[in-house]
Amino acid sequence: MMRSHKECEQMRAALEARSGGAAALERPRQQHLADCAACAEWAQLQAWSRQVLQAGEVAATPPLMSAVWASIHRTSEQAWDSALTRSFRYLLPYMVAVVALVLLAGGLMANHGAPTPVQAASTAFSVLNQPESSATAGVMTMANLPSQDPAHIFGVAHRQ
């Protein structure tokens, strides 16, 4: 028997509305499924889809909020560390260039009559390794050094 398209649409709408499937339908609709092969196949496909979805459901308890916040905190720390590392990596050539310029300027300024640090160190080392003579012993005694007030060194007050 030929069914109208409208009856098939109503049947499929009724099947969609009821989650129980064809068994929960009233008598006239069950008769429609028995007479219409397309709607019966559609009802079987819907029942099979429902079973597949129900079989795939996973009963999982959500994690504790403390675990969620700890994960967010870890992720944000990692993001901050990687951003800091990345910015340092980009700034490193500029920092090296600035240090090289400062050292170059310091080296040029040091050559204006003042000994270089290597020359000063070698001179001090040679003076310390010489045997003590009367001239150097007299220079290095505390009696010959002028008295200095700590306030005078810092320029705070003058000694009366």
Side-chain angles (χ1 to χ4, degrees), residues 25-92:
L25 293 175
E26 58 270 2
R27 187 89 173 135
R29 297 220 171 137
Q30 287 179 353
Q31 184 63 36
H32 177 84
L33 284 178
D35 293 342
C36 182
C39 288
E41 185 179 345
W42 194 85
Q44 287 175 348
L45 183 62
Q46 185 184 23
W48 176 80
S49 298
R50 187 178 308 110
Q51 288 174 352
V52 168
L53 287 176
Q54 288 174 350
E57 287 182 1
V58 176
T61 57
L64 297 174
M65 279 309 294
S66 59
V68 172
W69 284 115
S71 173
I72 291 170
H73 184 68
R74 256 191 325 274
T75 305
S76 66
E77 278 183 350
Q78 290 169 355
W80 173 254
D81 289 345
S82 67
L84 187 63
T85 303
R86 188 172 45 249
S87 66
F88 182 73
R89 191 178 316 134
Y90 292 136
L91 289 177
L92 185 63

